[in-house]
Amino acid sequence: MEHRLLREIEMGSKSALMKKRIITYYIYNGCATITDLSKELDLSVPTITKFINEMCEDGYINDYGKLETSGGRHPSLYGLNPESGYFIGVDVKKFSINIGLINFKGDMVEQKNNIPYKFENTPDALEELCKTIRDFIKKSTIDTKKILNININISGRVNPESGYSFSIFNFSERPLAEVLTEKIGYSVCLDNDTRAMTYGEYMKGCVNGEKNILFVNISWGLGIGIIIDGKIYTGKSGFSGEFGHINAFENEIICYCGKKGCLETETSGSALHR
């Protein structure tokens, strides 16, 4: 299947953006009838029916059969086609890499954790990261042409909108996301690891219906993720959550960010290790 819809969304057509809203609704709510979708998106039933029929033809949505009701006509349930596309998430740790492959509905298809890796700010470490991801894709059992995007989560200051990393692997004037896309051969986006973990907990983890969330990540470093009214907060420059770099101590310990006395120098995995 050609991913025509994604190209239309990039071009910003009204029809494609409405289809994106429909996909987002199904991601959050699972299967639903056309009537339910019409009420939620405040569009007429004929308009929603037109979009659903087009998306069924394109393979993004499946008809999952009739909904059992107490009387009258039984409406059809529609939902995302799990095999219409796939996404890869890459979580880069200090000494390992975790990689997961999910389908279009968000179900985990393949996962490989604790792949040995030494996270250093060097060109060789960047090449090794790309090789590890390419090897995972080669061994995958899915149709790799259907991989829509790879999201790589790294520590430090990351602007997910521009694709720049300002702490790690910033060897080029180009955005790191662009460099990785070129090296791996698939569309790549970046985010800060703590923000990604925060969103993961919001979507599939321990958060039950809450819309305003603070997530604290104490690992090698110390960071927080923020969700306000159900939306991830990135901050003015995309660097929200660098909680560990608040000046808190007069300990003369130099943090990896270059400053002295950061909170992270006493309350983090690296502090325990030291």
Side-chain angles (χ1 to χ4, degrees):
M1 179 191 65
E2 292 289 332
H3 293 292
R4 182 178 65 190
L5 176 57
L6 297 183
R7 292 195 297 272
E8 290 176 354
I9 289 172
E10 290 174 357
M11 292 170 64
S13 77
K14 290 183 179 179
S15 173
L17 292 175
M18 186 53 64
K19 290 177 181 178
K20 182 181 178 181
R21 286 183 64 195
I22 291 172
I23 289 172
T24 302
Y25 176 84
Y26 280 127
I27 287 172
Y28 281 92
N29 298 281
C31 294
T33 66
I34 285 177
T35 302
D36 291 337
L37 201 55
S38 172
K39 291 177 182 177
E40 183 68 26
L41 302 183
D42 195 24
L43 290 169
S44 69
V45 168
T47 299
I48 291 293
T49 301
K50 174 179 174 291
F51 285 134
I52 292 295
N53 287 339
E54 289 177 1
M55 295 172 78
C56 284
E57 289 177 9
D58 289 340
Y60 288 101
I61 286 179
N62 283 347
D63 182 344
Y64 286 101
K66 300 295 183 181
L67 175 66
E68 292 298 324
T69 58
S70 57
R73 294 180 61 185
H74 300 305
S76 291
L77 271 177
Y78 294 91
L80 298 178
N81 174 9
E83 297 179 356
S84 60
Y86 298 89
F87 302 90
I88 289 177
V90 182
D91 185 28
V92 184
K93 301 291 189 183
K94 182 69 175 176
F95 300 110
S96 64
I97 297 173
N98 301 324
I99 306 181
L101 172 73
I102 65 171
N103 62 25
F104 204 60
K105 290 182 71 174
D107 302 320
M108 189 69 72
V109 177
E110 296 176 19
Q111 188 174 8
K112 189 170 183 182
N113 293 332
N114 300 317
I115 303 169
Y117 176 72
K118 194 170 183 182
F119 190 15
E120 296 176 331
N121 192 24
T122 64
D124 285 346
L126 178 60
E127 292 296 333
E128 181 63 23
L129 171 63
C130 294
K131 180 181 181 300
T132 301
I133 297 169
R134 290 195 300 265
D135 288 346
F136 177 87
I137 293 171
K138 284 179 184 176
K139 295 175 182 177
S140 173
T141 58
I142 63 152
D143 180 356
T144 56
K145 293 178 182 177
K146 291 186 177 182
I147 295 174
L148 304 177
N149 186 262
I150 298 172
N151 187 86
I152 300 177
N153 307 323
I154 57 177
S155 60
R157 295 185 302 144
V158 178
N159 187 318
E161 298 297 327
S162 66
Y164 278 97
S165 168
F166 295 87
S167 302
I168 303 292
F169 298 152
N170 52 344
F171 311 124
S172 169
E173 292 185 0
R174 292 190 296 156
L176 178 59
E178 185 180 303
V179 174
L180 289 164
T181 295
E182 190 176 276
K183 289 179 178 292
I184 299 172
Y186 292 88
S187 173
V188 173
C189 59
L190 294 177
D191 208 341
N192 171 268
D193 53 357
T194 302
R195 269 202 303 263
M197 292 169 72
T198 305
Y199 195 66
E201 290 296 338
Y202 173 68
M203 288 292 291
K204 294 284 187 178
C206 65
V207 177
N208 295 313
E210 297 295 336
K211 297 293 184 182
N212 301 296
I213 301 151
L214 283 180
F215 176 92
V216 182
N217 177 23
I218 306 176
S219 55
W220 196 252
L222 174 65
I224 61 172
I226 306 166
I227 289 180
I228 301 173
D229 195 24
K231 297 178 182 178
I232 197 82
Y233 178 72
T234 59
K236 181 179 178 181
S237 302
F239 307 145
S240 69
E242 290 298 319
F243 184 55
H245 301 293
I246 294 173
N247 187 271
F249 302 102
E250 295 181 3
N251 56 16
E252 296 301 308
I253 299 173
I254 298 177
C255 182
Y256 83 87
C257 74
K259 297 188 296 183
K260 291 182 179 180
C262 289
L263 183 62
E264 193 169 292
T265 61
E266 298 283 0
T267 55
S268 65
S270 57
L272 289 170
H273 178 75
R274 186 183 69 249

